[in-house]
Amino acid sequence: MHLLSNTLAALLITAVLCPFTASASAKGRAAETIAAPDVLEGSWEGSFEALSPTPEGHSISSSVTIRLTFSSEGARVFSGQGGAWREVAPDRFKVERLGPHALIHLVHAGQVPGPHGSRWFETYLIAVAAMTEDTLLGHWSRVVSHPDLSPNDPDRAFTVTGDVVLRRVETATGR
């Protein structure tokens, strides 16, 4: 519930603070028409500290670097480390866009490799809003569970969240 309220709060804050949607001056004109329709198109990168609360009450922090690419075909998510990029769940993310906002999401499952591997389930969300033509504000979130693990195992279910400012970048495939 805490994760859901944080995600909803972040979406509400970005909707209120986003300069593209703050003032539709023409009467009857939808706010989403204020921004250029392709403001999200291209590649965006950012790094942030993700937090994962523990049952003991403290949080584990980890550095995360992501690249998002938007095109007419949808959105792709990449994880970066040491200058190398790995696409996260290729061709699996869905994207919903409205003006300068987008919600990239995926719900999937699998099995940990090995003869005694447990099942896992994951919900992965990234909400973004254009702050300027070259800057996005983002909220990144993962919710993971391993229902086959003991109820006392801290990895049975956990969340990881973080907020990020993403900058537009040029890539080998262009903007």
Side-chain angles (χ1 to χ4, degrees), residues 13-169:
I13 289 168
T14 58
V16 170
L17 297 179
C18 182
F20 292 111
T21 60
S23 61
S25 60
K27 187 170 183 146
R29 184 170 136 189
E32 67 269 13
T33 63
I34 295 171
D38 62 351
V39 69
L40 297 175
E41 296 292 311
S43 295
W44 305 84
E45 292 178 10
S47 297
F48 58 97
E49 288 300 310
L51 296 177
S52 182
T54 66
E56 294 81 30
H58 66 280
S59 292
I60 298 169
S61 176
S62 58
S63 295
V64 176
T65 300
I66 59 171
R67 174 187 288 165
L68 306 177
T69 60
F70 291 93
S71 69
S72 59
E73 288 84 41
R76 296 169 65 191
V77 177
F78 297 85
S79 175
Q81 191 170 23
W85 294 98
R86 178 188 64 81
E87 187 168 7
V88 178
D91 303 316
R92 304 270 317 270
F93 280 94
K94 293 178 178 22
V95 63
E96 297 179 45
R97 294 166 66 161
L98 181 61
H101 285 246
L103 177 63
I104 304 165
H105 55 95
L106 168 67
V107 178
H108 65 148
Q111 181 130 2
V112 174
H116 303 290
S118 66
R119 298 172 298 149
W120 57 264
F121 298 85
E122 177 181 34
T123 303
Y124 199 123
L125 303 164
I126 305 169
V128 297
M131 294 172 57
T132 69
E133 293 288 325
D134 294 315
T135 308
L136 296 181
L137 177 63
H139 180 77
W140 177 90
S141 169
R142 293 178 57 214
V143 180
V144 180
S145 70
H146 297 93
D148 298 334
L149 296 181
S150 161
N152 298 327
D153 191 317
D155 288 332
R156 182 177 169 98
F158 60 90
T159 63
V160 187
T161 63
D163 297 310
V164 60
V165 174
L166 298 119
R167 309 274 182 218
R168 185 183 296 278
V169 296

